Amino acid sequence: MPMHFDGVFKFVVRKDENGNPILDDQGNEVKDQKPPKFQYFTSIATAPKGSGYSLFAASRLFFKYLPAPYTVDRLEAVKWRMDNNGFWDAKMQDLDLVVRHHIHKNPCVRWYQPWDESKTKFSTCQVTIENDSQEIVELVDRLLYDRRVCLRFTWEQEDIPIADNVSMMHTRTAFTGDCDRELWRIHFD
């Protein structure tokens, strides 16, 4: 599963002051991305020990360990696009790499890790940086998995972590064996 924030595919129709949908020049409804702010997880059944980790990457630590010549200011200007096929089949462009948190206004990474055919049978994702160096893709992927930035969480039955979906990215590792691993997730604002 790629490193991501939940809600990358969740949109709401933009409306005017009277509650009517706003249309673009072609007559299509204008939609804004509306990801959930928080996630509540619980573990019903765990994977075998040593597998099935959930990984949580913190934006605060991402920017703390951001190497030169990259800066928050530079990355805030970056726009990217993603082309998914298969299950999602979505083409999105002009995405912000960095957004400001709705409460503390700190910079937060918005990312959906590239995911090619060698990693999945279902839905691939190609990421392109639109207005800066394509090297940023490798930088973001490497830093999000850096152990100074990314927590590897081992599940115990009935664990209940709550994650800030704006300031944290997440994914999971593969789990081994024939198991009934089951996690529940609820989004809320």
Side-chain angles (χ1 to χ4, degrees):
M1 174 179 294
M3 184 71 80
H4 65 284
F5 67 98
D6 276 6
V8 70
F9 301 109
K10 183 182 175 191
F11 292 89
V12 295
V13 175
R14 190 181 304 168
K15 298 191 176 185
D16 65 19
E17 61 278 355
N18 297 318
N20 299 315
I22 295 176
L23 305 178
D24 64 18
D25 294 339
Q26 289 79 40
N28 300 312
E29 293 177 334
V30 175
K31 297 180 181 180
D32 295 315
Q33 207 172 36
K34 180 81 167 123
K37 293 181 179 127
F38 299 96
Q39 302 169 25
Y40 167 102
F41 296 91
T42 190
S43 173
I44 306 305
T46 63
K49 295 294 179 207
S51 69
Y53 299 101
S54 285
L55 280 58
F56 295 95
S59 289
R60 177 182 61 81
L61 297 172
F62 177 94
F63 290 109
K64 178 178 180 179
Y65 295 108
L66 186 65
Y70 300 100
T71 64
V72 172
D73 288 340
R74 178 177 174 184
L75 295 187
E76 273 189 308
V78 170
K79 298 288 187 180
W80 60 285
R81 67 174 291 122
M82 60 187 286
D83 295 299
N84 287 41
N85 68 9
F87 181 73
W88 296 116
D89 196 25
K91 312 289 186 250
M92 298 165 57
Q93 61 189 20
D94 201 35
L95 298 166
D96 293 319
L97 178 58
V98 178
V99 299
R100 290 290 170 160
H101 195 276
H102 58 282
I103 296 172
H104 50 66
K105 308 302 181 208
N106 291 336
C108 299
V109 180
R110 306 316 280 154
W111 192 243
Y112 195 95
Q113 181 183 9
W115 210 247
D116 65 24
E117 298 84 8
S118 69
K119 299 175 183 172
T120 183
K121 294 184 266 182
F122 302 105
S123 182
T124 63
C125 177
Q126 180 181 359
V127 171
T128 305
I129 301 299
E130 295 178 329
N131 63 343
D132 203 317
S133 170
Q134 197 62 24
E135 292 174 358
I136 290 174
V137 172
E138 183 181 325
L139 166 80
V140 172
D141 282 349
R142 185 178 67 248
L143 200 49
L144 286 174
Y145 284 92
D146 186 305
R147 289 193 180 261
R148 298 170 298 173
V149 173
C150 186
L151 169 72
R152 296 174 65 88
F153 185 77
T154 302
W155 288 94
E156 298 292 335
Q157 191 170 2
E158 299 179 1
D159 278 346
I160 304 177
I162 296 175
D164 181 334
N165 189 51
V166 178
S167 64
M168 309 252 333
M169 308 289 290
H170 69 280
T171 188
R172 68 165 175 80
T173 64
F175 47 93
T176 57
D178 185 25
C179 69
D180 294 325
R181 180 181 185 267
E182 182 177 351
L183 304 178
W184 293 0
R185 176 185 58 213
I186 297 171
H187 293 140
F188 65 99
D189 286 336

